[in-house]
Amino acid sequence: MFLIRLGLLERDTVKIRLYFNMDKIINVLMVILICSFTILTSYSWGRYVMLGCTGLILCVQVFRNNGKYKLFSGVFPFVLALFTFYSLISSLWAERSTDSITVGKTLFEITVMVYILYTCYFENPKNTNDLLRCIKWSGYIISLYSIFFYGLDFLIIAAANETRLENTYANVNTIGMLSSICIVIQVDEFICEKRWKWEALLCLPSIFIVALTHSRKALLLLILGTFLCFLLHNLDSKNILKTIGKISAIVLGALVLLNVVALMPIFAGTFDRMNALFGSIFGDGGGADSSVLIRDRMIEVGWEQFLKTPLLGMGMANPHILSNMYLGKDAYLHNNFIELLAGGGIVGLSIYYSMYAYLLTMFWKLRRYKNEEYVICLVMTVVLLILDYGMVSYYQKIRYVYLLVMFLEIEALKKKQNKDN
């Protein structure tokens, strides 16, 4: 807390007290930073906004600490730096070295950002809660901004005609997923506190945006994330029969709610796309739409490349060459596992997913010391890992903010373990 007193040299001295909560200022800058990832994604100068916000957070942090800056080491910054280094050196054997260097530069900027945020939030006893709220409010802001950007009249017509929003200021999947994750965080808060807050009303525009994006990933994140939050919060009971009863009620309620949502016209387009996806995975592929068939072919092409260069891959960020060569689409392979196997080989995949392996291992080892944020962080880790099957995430800035939350939660659990012991 920073206090300023201004005294006026008059008969009666007037004292003006201004209180500056440095942590709140940092959180506001964090919300602006996260929103810039989506709103400014199509602008090349968006990176300068990211660096600017990060720099301001650093300045406020130093000011908060009375001019001192403490360095902290951690698993997350180390592994991310290693992954960045590997991406850069993969340019030595890459088919197109400039692509590997470009993604390496992006990852370097993300590494700098992550380290500053990591050191900034490390000493904050409410760091995980603060960051979750920052993500939640960023999702609400993006949802409201999308309504303003597209126009409410246009969105109502799109909903009536079951028309999917087009990629404009950002990819609709990105918009939909951020809108979904803020709802899941809000639901987890409700479960923990047993009461709704006024900001829960902002879930309505977020659900509206999720429906109009027709994003399978956003819908899966919303449904699976909400279900897992209710499920994991009810696995703690010492009464086994009571636990089984709660889980049965949750599963039954989820099935009923899912059927109700599936019958709503606004979600018709999304569920049609979901049916096409499941038809491709579990059926003969006859009901799959063109996007699913193309993604299946991308997986095949990427796997074939992995078999040719299994250890080091063809160079990070190079698999789009395969997509352009065999499918006529200059795009990433829409599957993070295959993208990393084809581009970075076993080494690249192992470095990146060692972060998730560490998180899941520590969540299990420290389950006895869980706090209020334990469940939502575990749910986010699991769901985001599943979603990597249908997206390329290793170069997305927002993904590393999510990972930052999870790693700081692990640190909080370790501190609680040490305190209890």
Side-chain angles (χ1 to χ4, degrees):
M1 189 76 70
F2 184 72
L3 171 64
I4 297 178
R5 291 186 179 182
L6 298 178
L8 302 180
L9 298 176
E10 296 179 357
R11 180 179 299 177
D12 297 321
T13 301
V14 179
K15 293 181 179 180
I16 302 176
R17 296 185 178 186
L18 300 176
Y19 292 91
F20 294 92
N21 189 311
M22 295 295 116
D23 289 335
K24 288 185 178 180
I25 294 175
I26 290 172
N27 289 337
V28 170
L29 290 171
M30 191 68 195
V31 171
I32 296 172
L33 177 64
I34 296 173
C35 289
S36 73
F37 295 158
T38 303
I39 295 175
L40 303 179
T41 188
S42 59
Y43 297 96
S44 59
W45 49 267
R47 65 173 56 190
Y48 300 114
V49 175
M50 181 193 81
L51 296 174
C53 287
T54 306
L56 287 174
I57 290 174
L58 175 62
C59 292
V60 176
Q61 176 193 359
V62 173
F63 191 71
R64 180 190 66 184
N65 296 340
N66 298 318
K68 299 177 181 178
Y69 184 76
K70 295 183 179 180
L71 299 175
F72 295 97
S73 60
V75 175
F76 182 36
F78 173 77
V79 177
L80 180 53
L82 181 61
F83 184 63
T84 300
F85 176 72
Y86 180 76
S87 298
L88 287 170
I89 64 169
S90 72
S91 63
L92 297 177
W93 62 82
E95 293 191 25
R96 192 176 297 173
S97 60
T98 53
D99 292 342
S100 299
I101 293 173
T102 299
V103 79
K105 288 180 179 178
T106 300
L107 289 171
F108 176 76
E109 293 171 359
I110 292 173
T111 302
V112 173
M113 176 194 74
V114 162
Y115 186 75
I116 291 174
L117 296 178
Y118 184 85
T119 57
C120 179
Y121 279 94
F122 186 86
E123 289 188 303
N124 181 354
K126 300 188 301 179
N127 51 22
T128 308
N129 182 270
D130 282 357
L131 280 169
L132 286 170
R133 289 185 62 81
C134 288
I135 294 171
K136 182 183 74 173
W137 278 102
S138 299
Y140 288 151
I141 291 171
I142 291 299
S143 298
L144 294 173
Y145 177 82
S146 298
I147 293 173
F148 171 78
F149 183 88
Y150 288 101
L152 184 59
D153 293 340
F154 172 82
L155 293 177
I156 292 174
I157 294 173
N161 295 331
E162 300 178 10
T163 304
R164 187 187 189 192
L165 296 180
E166 296 181 356
N167 296 328
T168 49
Y169 75 90
N171 185 283
V172 291
N173 287 313
T174 302
I175 297 170
M177 289 180 64
L178 189 54
S179 299
S180 290
I181 207 162
C182 71
I183 299 170
V184 175
I185 294 173
Q186 188 72 64
V187 168
D188 183 78
E189 284 186 16
F190 164 74
I191 298 172
C192 291
E193 300 178 13
K194 301 295 188 295
R195 64 186 180 89
W196 286 111
K197 296 180 180 179
W198 67 267
E199 62 239 40
L201 293 173
L202 296 173
C203 288
L204 298 176
S206 296
I207 293 173
F208 185 52
I209 291 299
V210 170
L212 291 178
T213 60
H214 289 197
S215 172
R216 289 176 285 225
K217 291 183 283 289
L219 183 62
L220 182 62
L221 194 160
L222 178 59
I223 294 173
L224 185 58
T226 302
F227 173 74
L228 288 177
C229 282
F230 276 103
L231 183 65
L232 294 178
H233 274 294
N234 286 279
L235 290 179
D236 242 357
S237 176
K238 296 180 181 179
N239 189 323
I240 297 178
L241 293 177
K242 186 177 179 180
T243 302
I244 294 174
K246 284 183 176 182
I247 294 174
S248 300
I250 291 170
V251 172
L252 181 61
L255 292 174
V256 171
L257 182 61
L258 189 60
N259 277 281
V260 171
V261 172
L263 294 174
M264 296 173 65
I266 194 172
F267 282 100
T270 310
F271 274 92
D272 286 343
R273 300 185 76 237
M274 289 292 288
N275 289 333
L277 176 63
F278 290 137
S280 172
I281 296 174
F282 301 110
D284 57 4
D289 58 23
S290 58
S291 66
V292 173
L293 295 175
I294 290 174
R295 292 176 189 226
D296 287 346
R297 180 59 183 144
M298 285 179 172
I299 292 174
E300 293 175 4
V301 169
W303 182 256
E304 290 170 1
Q305 177 62 43
F306 164 66
L307 296 178
K308 296 176 183 177
T309 53
L311 187 62
L312 301 177
M314 64 184 296
M316 293 292 291
N318 274 237
H320 72 97
I321 299 173
L322 303 173
S323 179
N324 192 30
M325 182 184 303
Y326 294 103
L327 302 172
K329 289 184 174 292
D330 192 5
Y332 290 111
L333 299 183
H334 289 78
N335 182 308
N336 205 57
F337 303 102
I338 296 298
E339 178 76 24
L340 287 174
L341 281 175
I346 294 174
V347 175
L349 182 84
S350 300
I351 294 174
Y352 182 81
Y353 280 107
S354 66
M355 293 186 284
Y356 286 90
Y358 173 83
L359 287 171
L360 292 174
T361 301
M362 296 308 296
F363 276 128
W364 175 255
K365 290 179 66 174
L366 299 170
R367 64 191 183 281
R368 291 174 53 196
Y369 307 97
K370 61 184 176 182
N371 51 22
E372 288 189 350
E373 293 78 33
Y374 177 90
V375 168
I376 183 62
C377 288
L378 176 58
V379 168
M380 286 174 62
T381 304
V382 172
V383 174
L384 291 174
L385 189 59
I386 293 172
L387 290 177
D388 274 355
Y389 181 81
M391 63 185 294
V392 176
S393 63
Y394 77 87
Y395 61 87
Q396 292 184 346
K397 301 179 183 70
I398 188 64
R399 177 57 66 95
Y400 292 98
V401 173
Y402 298 151
L403 287 171
L404 173 66
V405 176
M406 273 81 89
F407 274 94
L408 287 174
E409 171 64 6
I410 295 298
E411 294 299 326
L413 295 176
K414 286 181 179 179
K415 291 177 183 177
K416 189 175 180 181
Q417 180 190 36
N418 294 333
K419 183 178 179 181
D420 291 350
N421 292 337

